[in-house]
Amino acid sequence: MKSQDNCIFCKIVAGQIPSNKLFEDDELLAFHDIHPKAPVHFLLIPKTHVDSLADCGPGEGDVLARIMLKVPELARQAGCDNGFRTVINTGPDGGQEVYHLHVHVLGGPREQWKAPAP
């Protein structure tokens, strides 16, 4: 497990770094990606630090379920009526850049996407 002391997402959760929030409750936080690849591009994270999906076990089952159930609700609220994509980059070969579990949610007209999904 990597150190969470310098985790940018932990700092966002703590309010030390600002974010453009879409949703927040006791366990989850959703905010817009600062480098969007689609007209709608936000991240949904657990507030409790876990490095990646590969580091999840039975103890993370409830929060993983909450994340996956919250995604379609937030996507609809963001205007993704015609579908959306979810991406979880895991580990260096999976393209993970921030080692705090997060789900990318991308949507909007495909011809307006800036690059292939992460």
Side-chain angles (χ1 to χ4, degrees), residues 31-67:
F31 53 93
H32 291 279
D33 193 293
I34 60 170
H35 300 293
K37 304 291 187 212
V40 173
H41 187 173
F42 63 88
L43 307 176
L44 186 56
I45 68 169
K47 288 185 168 183
T48 301
H49 184 90
V50 59
D51 281 351
S52 74
L53 187 59
D55 295 303
C56 290
E60 286 77 36
D62 288 343
V63 75
L64 288 171
R66 287 210 59 236
I67 288 170

Side-chain angles (χ1 to χ4, degrees), residues 9 13 18-19 22 30-32 46 48-49 52 55 65 75 91 102 106 110 117:
F9 289 172
V13 168
S19 67
L22 292 172
F31 53 93
H32 291 279
T48 301
H49 184 90
S52 74
D55 295 303
H102 58 287
L106 301 103
R110 290 296 303 253

Side-chain angles (χ1 to χ4, degrees), residues 12-26:
I12 290 172
V13 168
Q16 298 169 347
I17 295 175
S19 67
N20 186 359
K21 295 179 187 178
L22 292 172
F23 170 81
E24 182 174 18
D25 68 11
D26 291 342

Side-chain angles (χ1 to χ4, degrees), residues 63-82:
V63 75
L64 288 171
R66 287 210 59 236
I67 288 170
M68 296 314 289
L69 292 170
K70 185 57 75 173
V71 164
E73 176 186 333
L74 295 176
R76 280 190 298 273
Q77 289 175 7
C80 298
D81 299 324
N82 203 30

